[in-house]
Amino acid sequence: MALGGSESSWFALGGDLPVRRLGFGAMQLTGDGVWGPPRDSDQATRVLRVAVDLGANFIDTADAYGPHLNEALIAEALYPYRGDLVVATKGGLVRSGPNSWTCRGEPAYLRTCVEASLQRLRTDCIDLYQLHRADPAVPLLDQIGALSDLQAQGKIRHIGLSNVSVQQYREVVQHFTIASVQGRFHLLDHRANVDVVRECERDGIAFIACEPLFRGHLSRTNRHLGRLTEKAGGASPAQLALAWVLHYSRSIVAIPGTSSTERLAENIDALSAELPPEVKHELIAAAGGW
């Protein structure tokens, strides 16, 4: 089955925003520990522009990346936005330093986050706004309710969840319309989210697979993938890993990130990769099964 050029290459996010199922995660366009600016701002700008030129029309970011700098970089590189470009961001995490992440989900704070993201992204309406992580100190429905109020005001087009359990997902969808769920999903770390993916399939919403290359580890060091490249017609380990994620479920939209234009082109080519049956079976075995 070839993904490229077919209907399965696309997903209608929220039912009305067609996105290619291989987008771009912008988190890596920051400093170490997802803190501070990128080492080379000009290169980061080039990567974003090349991603769009190569056909990626879904860009994922968050106010916590930098913090704040990642959203501003996207606006600097891509504004005014192309008509079919979908930019998603997230809020609800506070940063105090590199690799430090603290939940904060009071409704008033989330409203402030959305207003600030609107300014940094230079837009009047955010295509997809995701609760980055549920704050256990605040009722989950209150957190989503704040976003729903902003959606009613026209400041958010669609609401998404991130890093939630099946139980949290079910609680939310009983009361609100959700367009997507984001979570880690790759060959070596997917079992925790398998049930969430199935819920998304059932409800016809997107599962946004972040870190589908395990922060580059799958493209560099996995012996199973390296051994399968010849059987897969020369596809790179990264392309095999991404093809596996995309073949896992038609509801998945993968958002690999990179700071290299060469890696970017390689990743996006995975959308048209074919998986011969024998390669698919070996990938399943390497991952411990579906």
Side-chain angles (χ1 to χ4, degrees):
M1 173 185 176
L3 288 167
S6 69
E7 289 184 2
S8 61
S9 300
W10 295 83
F11 190 92
L13 185 66
D16 63 354
L17 292 177
V19 298
R20 292 187 79 192
R21 291 183 52 220
L22 209 156
F24 181 75
M27 183 178 73
Q28 291 190 32
L29 302 181
T30 56
D32 293 340
V34 199
W35 184 264
R39 295 179 181 178
D40 187 336
S41 295
D42 290 339
Q43 173 67 3
T45 298
R46 280 194 295 273
V47 167
L48 285 164
R49 290 174 177 166
V50 170
V52 174
D53 289 343
L54 291 175
N57 75 324
F58 179 67
I59 308 292
D60 179 83
T61 183
D63 64 4
Y65 300 163
H68 308 150
L69 301 173
N70 203 249
E71 290 178 325
L73 176 66
I74 287 170
E76 180 181 347
L78 300 177
Y79 184 86
Y81 301 116
R82 202 175 67 185
D84 67 338
L85 183 64
V86 175
V87 178
T89 192
K90 300 181 283 291
L93 288 180
V94 178
R95 308 294 307 283
S96 59
N99 293 315
S100 174
W101 311 80
T102 303
C103 295
R104 186 173 176 187
E106 311 97 296
Y109 178 72
L110 291 175
R111 287 191 289 269
T112 300
C113 290
V114 172
E115 295 289 354
S117 289
L118 285 166
Q119 292 185 18
R120 286 189 292 267
L121 290 169
R122 305 182 197 176
T123 185
D124 296 324
C125 180
I126 295 169
D127 295 322
L128 175 67
Y129 193 89
Q130 304 155 90
L131 181 66
H132 207 152
R133 187 174 297 144
D135 184 346
V138 179
L140 179 56
L141 295 183
D142 289 353
Q143 296 174 67
I144 304 302
L147 302 183
S148 180
D149 290 343
L150 291 163
Q151 184 182 39
Q153 295 172 28
K155 296 181 178 182
I156 294 172
R157 186 163 183 173
H158 294 296
I159 296 170
L161 302 172
S162 178
N163 300 302
V164 294
S165 66
V166 169
Q167 291 73 22
Q168 289 172 318
Y169 170 79
R170 290 175 177 170
E171 179 185 4
V172 172
V173 296
Q174 288 180 21
H175 303 275
F176 300 99
T177 299
I178 299 300
S180 65
V181 177
Q182 184 169 154
R184 287 189 181 91
F185 202 89
H186 57 73
L187 269 166
L188 302 181
D189 182 11
H190 63 281
R191 291 184 179 180
N193 277 316
V194 165
D195 290 340
V196 179
V197 171
R198 298 309 181 207
E199 294 281 326
C200 292
E201 284 182 340
R202 183 198 66 195
D203 294 341
I205 72 169
F207 181 89
I208 301 171
C210 63
E211 300 183 16
L213 293 175
F214 193 19
R215 301 188 182 186
H217 295 297
L218 284 171
S219 61
R220 295 192 299 266
T221 62
N222 188 271
R223 68 180 187 278
H224 297 290
L225 295 175
R227 182 171 51 81
L228 288 173
T229 54
E230 286 191 24
K231 291 184 180 180
S236 71
Q239 290 172 335
L240 284 175
L242 290 170
W244 179 85
V245 170
L246 294 170
H247 277 263
Y248 191 95
S249 169
R250 289 171 62 99
S251 291
I252 288 179
V253 177
I255 50 168
T258 181
S259 58
S260 161
T261 53
E262 291 77 15
R263 287 285 188 189
L264 175 66
E266 177 186 345
N267 292 346
I268 290 178
D269 280 346
L271 194 61
S272 57
E274 294 189 16
L275 287 183
E278 64 273 19
V279 172
K280 183 176 179 180
H281 292 320
E282 290 199 44
L283 284 173
I284 294 171
W290 293 117

